[in-house]
Amino acid sequence: MNFIDTKNEEFRLLLQQEFAHRTAKNPNYSLRSFARYLDFDHSSLSGILSGKRAITHKTIQKLSPKLNLKPRVYMHLLSGLSFAEMTTDHQRLEESTFSYMSEWVYDAVLELTRVKGFKFSDETVAKKLGINIIYARSVIQTLLSLKLLCKEGKNYKLALKRTTNLSSNEHTSAALRKYQKSLLEKSILALDTVERSERDHTSSTFAINKEDLPKIKKIIQKFRYEISEFVQRKEEKMNDVYSLQVSFFPLTQIQKKEK
């Protein structure tokens, strides 16, 4: 049997990402449902996702069409190259990493490692974030594979203390848009499910001079950084995970520039 050892991790991440995406949309979505969609044996799929089963060329060839992989990615998976070798540009490598975690839950799981007294496990993460245990396990395994989360004995901890998914404030991508949409959905849900004393939803509407927009963005960026520094000043006292969203956008119709 020709196992592609160097490719196991990359292809497993792609499968975990697709399963996590489907579970995020439907909490009742099961591994058996995913196996049926892939037209693949349920126990074999479970072994691949858990890292207990190696991945062959034949498996990649069979499952790739269902994952809608770009031809370039598909060919590199079969070539034996790692994702790191697929790109010579550091920013593109960052994007490929972030594309695996473009849902709110990934950052939330990372931050849970910093909550004082929280006993980190598949079960406790699922309960704390209100997601099913299969989804929680998939997210944790993905973060471990990406080396953003590490395990020391029975304890989990951040591999990197300070990370960002942006190289520029003007940068965007499908993954970043998906991430922001997932946060907006959680924000809307919080309006109906979280007591007012436990949240803050406010807004301001005003006319502006569009020439001031770059300066306004810098002020917002500075504000976010200041909040981040403030909440992280005493890590030993952290006891919950919150998300800060600052949206500043036109309420008028924007005319697209002619190319």
Side-chain angles (χ1 to χ4, degrees):
M1 188 75 67
N2 182 23
F3 293 117
I4 316 172
D5 294 333
T6 59
K7 295 270 51 68
N8 281 358
E9 212 54 49
E10 285 88 347
F11 194 71
R12 184 177 297 112
L13 286 175
L14 290 170
L15 286 170
Q16 289 175 339
Q17 180 193 25
E18 180 64 23
F19 181 59
H21 177 64
R22 289 168 175 268
T23 308
K25 285 187 173 182
N26 176 13
N28 295 319
Y29 192 80
S30 67
L31 190 61
R32 288 188 180 278
S33 297
F34 191 39
R36 282 196 297 270
Y37 167 75
L38 295 172
D39 190 22
F40 198 68
D41 178 68
H42 167 262
S43 60
S44 297
L45 179 61
S46 177
I48 288 174
L49 292 178
S50 65
K52 296 178 180 179
R53 185 184 178 93
I55 299 170
T56 65
H57 276 87
K58 185 176 179 181
T59 300
I60 292 178
Q61 290 172 330
K62 177 177 176 59
L63 300 185
S64 290
K66 292 286 188 176
L67 299 178
N68 296 316
L69 299 182
K70 293 180 180 180
R72 174 176 169 273
V73 175
Y74 174 64
M75 293 307 296
H76 277 287
L77 283 168
L78 293 179
S79 73
L81 293 174
S82 69
F83 280 132
E85 295 170 312
M86 286 168 57
T87 167
T88 59
D89 183 317
H90 182 63
Q91 170 56 26
R92 286 173 63 192
L93 180 58
E94 288 180 347
E95 286 180 16
S96 68
T97 298
F98 184 68
S99 68
Y100 291 111
M101 45 184 292
S102 54
E103 299 278 353
W104 66 271
V105 68
Y106 291 89
D107 275 343
V109 169
L110 289 174
E111 290 300 311
L112 277 176
T113 63
R114 308 171 75 167
V115 173
K116 183 180 180 181
F118 182 73
K119 295 182 179 179
F120 199 103
S121 69
D122 299 348
E123 294 82 2
T124 58
V125 167
K127 183 177 180 180
K128 187 71 172 178
L129 298 181
I131 59 178
N132 69 49
I133 191 170
I134 297 176
Y135 186 18
R137 185 177 299 124
S138 175
V139 169
I140 292 170
Q141 288 301 316
T142 297
L143 292 171
L144 287 169
S145 297
L146 292 172
K147 294 182 171 52
L148 295 174
L149 189 68
C150 58
K151 189 175 183 181
E152 295 181 353
K154 294 184 178 180
N155 298 319
Y156 290 81
K157 60 184 292 187
L158 289 175
L160 301 172
K161 286 282 185 176
R162 295 178 182 274
T163 58
T164 180
N165 51 47
L166 284 175
S167 63
S168 165
N169 288 328
E170 300 305 316
H171 174 77
T172 190
S173 68
L176 285 167
R177 289 192 294 272
K178 180 181 174 184
Y179 176 72
Q180 291 299 330
K181 287 177 182 178
S182 75
L183 282 176
L184 286 170
E185 290 170 355
K186 290 294 291 183
S187 181
I188 292 171
L189 181 63
L191 281 169
D192 295 323
T193 60
V194 179
E195 291 292 333
R196 184 67 179 84
S197 61
E198 298 289 323
R199 61 175 176 81
D200 186 77
H201 281 81
T202 56
S203 62
S204 299
T205 303
F206 29 67
I208 71 164
N209 178 352
K210 292 198 71 172
E211 292 180 357
D212 291 334
L213 199 52
K215 177 64 175 178
I216 292 170
K217 289 184 178 182
K218 287 184 179 179
I219 293 172
I220 293 173
Q221 181 186 31
K222 183 173 182 291
F223 164 71
R224 288 191 296 106
Y225 286 160
E226 287 178 349
I227 290 291
S228 178
E229 291 294 324
F230 176 74
V231 300
Q232 295 180 45
R233 73 193 187 285
K234 294 182 179 180
E235 293 196 6
E236 70 278 3
K237 292 189 176 182
M238 293 178 180
N239 57 20
D240 211 340
V241 177
Y242 269 57
S243 175
L244 170 68
Q245 289 178 278
V246 179
S247 300
F248 189 73
F249 56 91
L251 295 175
T252 54
Q253 295 296 311
I254 301 298
Q255 293 183 346
K256 293 183 178 180
K257 294 181 180 179
E258 293 183 4
K259 296 182 179 179

